[in-house]
Amino acid sequence: MTDVPSVELSGVSLIFGGARPDDDPVLATHDINLAIPAGQFVAIVGPSGCGKTTILNMLAGLISPTRGTVKRHGVEVHGTSKDIGYMLARSALSPWRTARRNVELGLEIRGVSKSQRRATAMELLHKVGLQGFENSYPSQLSQGMNQRVAIARTLAIDPDLWLMDEPFGALDAQTRLTVQAEFVGLWEEAANKTVIFVTHDLEEAVLLADRVIVMTARPGRIKSDTLIDLPRPRHIDQLRFDERFKQAEQRIWEELRDEIVT
Ligand SMILES: Nc1ncnc2c1ncn2[C@@H]1O[C@H](COP(=O)(O)OP(=O)(O)OP(=O)(O)O)[C@@H](O)[C@H]1O
Ligand SMILES: [Mg+2]
């Protein structure tokens, strides 16, 4: 094994716009330095507009930094990569595809055989608690169920890096707890997968992650970087009431509060 980080941002700044005189430049992130070892679950929290999605987009190779470098496994990122799963807050499923065929989408694009695609999709749908709903269409499923389909679709290609942008932000509190527990279980079961999980919900960040990064208001910089030393597997329904969890959340809240309460 090597010690090369799964993900490494060095001196990364990103400026949007400024190309035309009427287009004022926006400094979205400023001088981000961050190394994430393979297999770590990292949560990023910070005020709206501080550049969290921008960081995920740079890691996904969708945009390039204005300054600095973004590396994966020691190699500079240029363009998109097949071993990244990227899930958005409102991941749009294809309405005309069943749950199973939505999960199969990425595998179809990769030319995986029909039988293999089906087997992978069925297994993942089972793991996210949707056995029996394989042939349902998104319009026939609840929002929480659709987010589970989206998780299964993101993981179907067996990505090495899981980029999650507020994946559970639109769910009600109870559904969210269930889906969080399923998700963290999937990750704990998977070997050596790196997760970068953006959320507005500090409780979610501390419950799920090994490490929580707090960003400042725009231009986004790293304000604090805290290891969450809570045991795994995480039983998040109980952990929520654990003193160690509460202390960790409280400590990080002190950092975050100054950025979001103005
Ligand atoms: N394509 C773009 N063109 C111009 N400015 C942009 C573009 N995308 C993002 N920005 C600006 O860059 C900053 C960072 O945006 P980003 O979407 O990364 O924030 P965020 O932290 O993900 O916010 P939120 O929590 O609201 O999702 C914002 O001020 C935004 O207005
Ligand atoms: Mg965002």
Side-chain angles (χ1 to χ4, degrees):
M1 284 307 290
T2 74
D3 291 333
V4 177
S6 167
V7 160
E8 192 170 15
L9 294 100
S10 311
V12 167
S13 299
L14 192 116
I15 299 170
F16 283 110
R20 295 188 315 272
D22 61 345
D23 182 15
D24 288 337
V26 173
L27 178 58
T29 68
H30 179 62
D31 195 24
I32 304 275
N33 293 287
L34 177 64
I36 299 176
Q40 194 168 54
F41 191 136
V42 178
I44 302 182
V45 294
S48 184
C50 75
K52 302 179 296 295
T53 298
T54 301
I55 289 176
L56 295 188
N57 285 339
M58 287 192 279
L59 288 169
L62 299 172
I63 50 176
S64 301
T66 312
R67 271 194 296 281
T69 55
V70 177
K71 290 183 181 172
R72 292 209 47 231
H73 301 298
V75 179
E76 204 166 326
V77 170
H78 292 291
T80 55
S81 158
K82 282 187 176 169
D83 62 353
I84 294 180
Y86 196 170
M87 180 170 162
L88 313 176
R90 291 170 194 274
S91 278
L93 299 172
S94 299
W96 55 87
R97 282 177 170 253
T98 62
R100 175 173 62 77
R101 295 206 54 237
N102 263 290
V103 178
E104 288 182 26
L105 192 62
L107 300 169
E108 253 176 72
I109 293 164
R110 282 165 175 73
V112 174
S113 75
K114 200 170 173 179
S115 59
Q116 185 57 53
R117 281 190 331 242
R118 179 183 279 243
T120 304
M122 296 299 266
E123 187 191 338
L124 272 164
L125 284 169
H126 199 275
K127 281 189 180 167
V128 296
L130 288 179
Q131 62 276 33
F133 294 95
E134 297 87 351
N135 296 320
S136 301
Y137 289 88
S139 62
Q140 299 171 314
L141 299 173
S142 71
Q143 209 183 9
M145 291 161 103
N146 276 318
Q147 282 304 91
R148 291 182 168 110
V149 176
I151 293 172
R153 184 178 64 176
T154 307
L155 303 186
I157 56 165
D158 193 25
D160 173 64
L161 175 62
W162 304 0
L163 301 178
M164 313 291 290
D165 196 358
E166 300 182 46
F168 312 139
L171 301 179
D172 68 83
Q174 263 150 32
T175 307
R176 178 188 276 233
L177 262 183
T178 314
V179 180
Q180 284 168 340
E182 279 166 9
F183 178 75
V184 80
L186 280 171
W187 176 76
E188 282 165 352
E189 205 176 278
N192 218 32
K193 304 295 189 185
T194 309
V195 183
I196 306 184
F197 190 106
V198 167
T199 177
H200 275 115
D201 179 349
L202 182 57
E203 176 182 281
E204 176 172 73
V206 178
L207 282 174
L208 303 186
D210 295 321
R211 177 179 177 191
V212 176
I213 310 272
V214 174
M215 291 184 64
T216 65
R218 188 164 62 83
R221 286 171 288 109
I222 293 178
K223 173 156 184 179
S224 69
D225 183 346
T226 309
L227 287 175
I228 307 297
D229 189 19
L230 295 171
R232 291 198 185 273
R234 299 264 173 97
H235 300 291
I236 62 167
D237 50 335
Q238 297 158 23
L239 193 57
R240 287 194 298 154
F241 305 105
D242 190 302
E243 269 317 306
R244 291 167 302 172
F245 159 75
K246 287 185 188 166
Q247 281 167 14
E249 188 187 18
Q250 178 66 37
R251 212 167 30 183
I252 299 171
W253 171 244
E254 306 287 332
E255 302 287 341
L256 185 57
R257 183 179 46 198
D258 294 343
E259 301 303 321
I260 57 178
V261 181
T262 51

